[in-house]
Amino acid sequence: MKSIFLFVLFSFTLLFAEKVKCAEFFKHQWVSVNVGRTNDIFKKGNQDKKEFGLLYGIDVSCSIYKNGFVNFQRARACEFLSPLLQLHKPAESFKQSSVYVGCILTKKNFCYIMAVGYCRIKGVNRGKWLGVPGIETYDYESLPYTSKGFPWYFQINNNSDDWIGAGLRFSGTLQSEKDYFGVSLLLKLGR
């Protein structure tokens, strides 16, 4: 909870930094919130089939030089289980803390943003079934993991000059535990 509070405080500090005439180096700041879905990286029950996941995150960005920017992101993805599979515990999930560098291309009223970075991931995978044949149980082995990876994203949003905008983000992470990609709807505040 403390890290979320500090993250939000840092976000608003960046948003209002322009009001106190900070250096031209950090001329633009913005906060983005995104919600979407990941690919089928999650196991489905005790089968080899996969289930998609819910992906959501918040990030804070500031310009570093003309069309360049740096971005700090906190994201989470969790397994989306259908009602019939709700009993399969633990649900697979991960949390990702990332730092990105990227560039912005503005054409008419749209921004095209590309970024790559470095991240730390903590998650839980579902392992072997812990039940006994003949007895109805749904518990699975919990396999926590920590990993490092290389995240990326490509984003299109409609506010090149306004303070509020919406967009679409395609993102993913290359890592040792399991790669993922996702698509998210995005709300952006700032410029």
Side-chain angles (χ1 to χ4, degrees), residues 164-178:
I164 297 175
L168 192 61
R169 177 180 285 181
F170 303 91
S171 62
T173 299
L174 302 173
Q175 57 166 314
S176 60
E177 190 65 31
K178 55 181 159 186

Side-chain angles (χ1 to χ4, degrees), residues 19-37:
K19 298 290 184 191
V20 294
K21 300 295 181 195
C22 284
E24 188 71 19
F25 195 65
F26 297 108
K27 184 177 180 183
H28 301 286
Q29 305 86 34
W30 62 94
V31 175
S32 302
V33 178
N34 58 76
V35 176
R37 67 165 280 180

Side-chain angles (χ1 to χ4, degrees), residues 1-12:
M1 190 68 182
K2 181 180 172 183
S3 63
I4 293 173
F5 173 75
L6 291 174
F7 190 74
V8 170
L9 180 65
F10 180 69
S11 302
F12 285 109

Side-chain angles (χ1 to χ4, degrees), residues 77-98:
C78 54
E79 184 176 22
F80 182 80
L81 292 171
S82 64
L84 296 175
L85 295 175
Q86 289 293 325
L87 300 174
H88 296 279
K89 303 288 183 195
E92 292 190 354
S93 65
F94 65 85
K95 295 176 186 174
Q96 175 177 308
S97 300
S98 310

Side-chain angles (χ1 to χ4, degrees), residues 58-127:
I58 183 169
D59 42 301
V60 177
S61 304
C62 63
S63 62
I64 52 175
Y65 183 74
K66 294 189 180 184
N67 293 338
F69 70 95
V70 65
N71 173 299
F72 302 96
Q73 182 188 61
R74 181 79 170 157
R76 178 167 163 74
C78 54
E79 184 176 22
F80 182 80
L81 292 171
S82 64
L84 296 175
L85 295 175
Q86 289 293 325
L87 300 174
H88 296 279
K89 303 288 183 195
E92 292 190 354
S93 65
F94 65 85
K95 295 176 186 174
Q96 175 177 308
S97 300
S98 310
V99 60
Y100 296 87
V101 292
C103 63
I104 303 169
L105 176 64
T106 304
K107 293 281 186 179
K108 295 188 179 181
N109 292 330
F110 289 93
C111 288
Y112 302 92
I113 300 174
M114 295 166 280
V116 294
Y118 179 77
C119 68
R120 180 175 167 86
I121 299 165
K122 287 180 145 183
V124 175
N125 284 334
R126 187 169 43 248

Side-chain angles (χ1 to χ4, degrees), residues 117-175:
Y118 179 77
C119 68
R120 180 175 167 86
I121 299 165
K122 287 180 145 183
V124 175
N125 284 334
R126 187 169 43 248
K128 297 184 298 185
W129 178 56
L130 299 176
V132 177
I135 299 174
E136 192 170 337
T137 59
Y138 299 96
D139 290 332
Y140 291 82
E141 184 179 26
S142 178
L143 303 172
Y145 68 91
T146 302
S147 178
K148 295 176 174 85
F150 299 99
W152 58 270
Y153 71 79
F154 176 74
Q155 174 179 314
I156 303 169
N157 54 315
N158 69 342
N159 73 328
S160 59
D161 292 327
D162 296 330
W163 277 90
I164 297 175
L168 192 61
R169 177 180 285 181
F170 303 91
S171 62
T173 299
L174 302 173
Q175 57 166 314

